[in-house]
Amino acid sequence: ETGVTQSPTHLIKTRGQQVTLRCSSQSGHNTVSWYQQALGQGPQFIFQYYREEENGRGNFPPRFSGLQFPNYSSELNVNALELDDSALYLCASSSAGQGITGELFFGEGSRLTVL
Amino acid sequence: KQEVTQIPAALSVPEGENLVLNCSFTDSAIYNLQWFRQDPGKGLTSLLLIQSSQREQTSGRLNASLDKSSGRSTLYIAASQPGDSATYLCAPEVGNMLTFGGGTRLMVKP
């Protein structure tokens, strides 16, 4: 059974650029959640995708957007990067239904640095 | 808005001690609560999931309890080992969203 995988592991961008982060969910999981973790803090919920539809969103601006594909893999896109976007971006998958997340399984994260 | 507090923020203990990590949350209408472990620069590993109808869950040396009405959960680690050194995070779920505390950074010294 393959766990959650994320790419790239590290990347550096400059302010104003755009970035796409990718996530493959664990086999059998239909729900993907994205979290942002700033240094020294707990993760913060960005949004969740269930069966290719956005299924909940945290307090993040519209320049944070996402997609989920028919194979349940997912992308997180961030436009007009700001310095404060520097963080570890975590993808997590689960197999619960639409109204509940259930046990979450996380990937190793993508470390984004914005200069 | 759910707010989660973890106490203590950091803990350093000698090997072999039994430990208690505390988590409190403000919105008691939770579906479940998860405890995670995070090693430096890494992703999160799920340790225990307690459903809202349960009082506790156990896995090996770990035991987590949940008191939903008072908004508290406790993670008990028995006979701590240096390999337990990590940050421990709790996260109650309300409406498909997990809210994380700031974590407890644990160091177990040989």
Side-chain angles (χ1 to χ4, degrees):
Chain A
E1 185 179 271
T2 307
V4 178
T5 59
Q6 293 186 244
S7 63
T9 55
H10 296 84
L11 69 167
I12 300 173
K13 294 284 188 179
T14 56
R15 202 167 43 178
Q17 285 189 312
Q18 178 265 343
V19 68
T20 297
L21 307 178
R22 295 177 176 82
C23 172
S24 293
S25 60
Q26 185 164 312
S27 176
H29 287 182
N30 57 13
T31 300
V32 171
S33 304
W34 286 92
Y35 287 80
Q36 180 196 66
Q37 187 176 26
L39 205 59
Q41 298 181 22
Q44 285 195 296
F45 178 72
I46 303 175
F47 44 55
Q48 182 183 90
Y49 279 84
Y50 171 71
R51 294 185 176 179
E52 303 178 58
E53 298 284 334
E54 188 177 289
N55 184 42
R57 187 179 185 94
N59 190 26
F60 281 81
R63 60 189 184 84
F64 285 78
S65 63
L67 283 172
Q68 187 179 31
F69 300 99
N71 66 355
Y72 303 129
S73 65
S74 178
E75 286 182 354
L76 164 64
N77 299 290
V78 188
N79 294 322
L81 284 167
E82 300 176 0
L83 297 179
D84 284 349
D85 295 334
S86 296
L88 181 67
Y89 287 85
L90 295 162
C91 171
S93 70
S94 61
S95 59
Q98 184 174 10
I100 189 168
T101 294
E103 189 173 11
L104 271 183
F105 296 85
F106 280 83
E108 290 296 316
S110 294
R111 170 74 63 187
L112 171 64
T113 302
V114 182
L115 303 176
Chain B
K1 178 190 170 190
Q2 178 77 279
E3 293 182 4
V4 182
T5 304
Q6 291 190 245
I7 294 172
L11 187 60
S12 181
V13 299
E15 182 177 4
E17 281 206 2
N18 299 325
L19 307 171
V20 176
L21 308 182
N22 296 294
C23 169
S24 62
F25 47 93
T26 54
D27 184 351
S28 61
I30 64 171
Y31 290 143
N32 57 54
L33 184 143
Q34 279 189 252
W35 281 91
F36 295 89
R37 168 191 172 132
Q38 186 174 32
D39 293 295
K42 301 290 187 181
L44 280 66
T45 300
S46 178
L47 298 173
L48 290 164
L49 170 70
I50 313 175
Q51 300 291 351
S52 61
S53 58
Q54 296 176 316
R55 286 284 188 170
E56 64 179 288
Q57 277 284 1
T58 298
S59 175
R61 295 182 293 108
L62 304 179
N63 175 275
S65 66
L66 174 64
D67 184 343
K68 213 174 83 159
S69 61
S70 67
R72 294 175 189 242
S73 178
T74 298
L75 179 66
Y76 177 82
I77 304 176
S80 59
Q81 302 171 357
D84 295 331
S85 298
T87 296
Y88 290 81
L89 296 146
C90 72
E93 178 182 350
V94 176
N96 86 339
M97 183 173 93
L98 272 66
T99 301
F100 284 83
T104 293
R105 192 170 63 255
L106 172 64
M107 172 72 71
V108 181
K109 298 177 181 177

